[in-house]
Amino acid sequence: MKKVLVLEDEANIRSFIVINLSRAGYEVVEAATGEEALEKLQQHRDVRVALLDIMLPGIDGFEVCRRIRAGNTHIGIIMLTARSQEMDKVTGLMTGADDYVTKPFSPAELTARVDALMRRSGAAEIPDGEIRQPPFLLNTRNRTLEKNGQRIKLTQVEYAIIKMFMESSGRALSREEILDTVWGKDYFGELKIVDVNIRRLRLKIEDNPTNPSYITTVWGYGYKWGF
Ligand code: CA
């Protein structure tokens, strides 16, 4: 699962962020101080994006950003800035942040920023080449899928769909979005091709394909991976 670190000393704001990112399918690591954030990043080396508040009791968010960047260039960093502190944005970007969000922000805005950064940094790819979502294990290096340790034979298209699902766990994906990602934007086929492939995929991976629990239908929209 895609992991995000949230550094925020105010408990109510922190839990607001955590709840919304979890809902969007992210695994969230929390920290209330800069020191704690740096420690947690040592423990969770697969964190792909960090959200850093600036005003904190110990070292501030800029210093945390600087220290992260000293040893890690690939993690995405978003600063949480206050509306009254215009200069924060510039300073944040100078210290190595990739983006900033101004408080107060909506859940949709926050999620969109994190999603964008995940994509931009190519972060969806887990470094060791595996995405583990029991009972499934996707190996992105040799493009294989296992369920409960048993290899499931997939076509390249089915593999691409599963990978997209596992990288967007818990988020509803529109059929158009799936078509664009898997078949490419210049594909001139019909949306129906998505449904046909999903149907076949369900036969391969679901415990009960007529009552699917892994790939669920979002009526009038598309599909969702999540359980
Ligand atoms: Ca604060």
Side-chain angles (χ1 to χ4, degrees), residues 201-220:
L201 204 42
R202 278 174 169 161
L203 289 172
K204 294 185 179 183
I205 68 159
E206 293 284 349
D207 303 332
N208 177 4
T210 56
N211 186 18
S213 54
Y214 302 118
I215 303 173
T216 50
T217 300
V218 182
W219 293 108

Side-chain angles (χ1 to χ4, degrees), residues 8-10 13 53-57 103:
E8 168 65 67
D9 59 320
E10 282 169 68
I13 300 180
D53 182 32
I54 295 166
M55 299 293 283
L56 298 159
K103 296 180 195 177

Side-chain angles (χ1 to χ4, degrees), residues 124-148:
E125 204 79 32
I126 309 294
D128 65 0
E130 283 182 356
I131 303 177
R132 249 172 230 283
Q133 286 169 21
F136 297 102
L137 169 66
L138 189 78
N139 187 316
T140 57
R141 202 166 288 147
N142 55 21
R143 302 169 73 87
T144 56
L145 178 73
E146 287 179 11
K147 181 184 177 187
N148 293 318

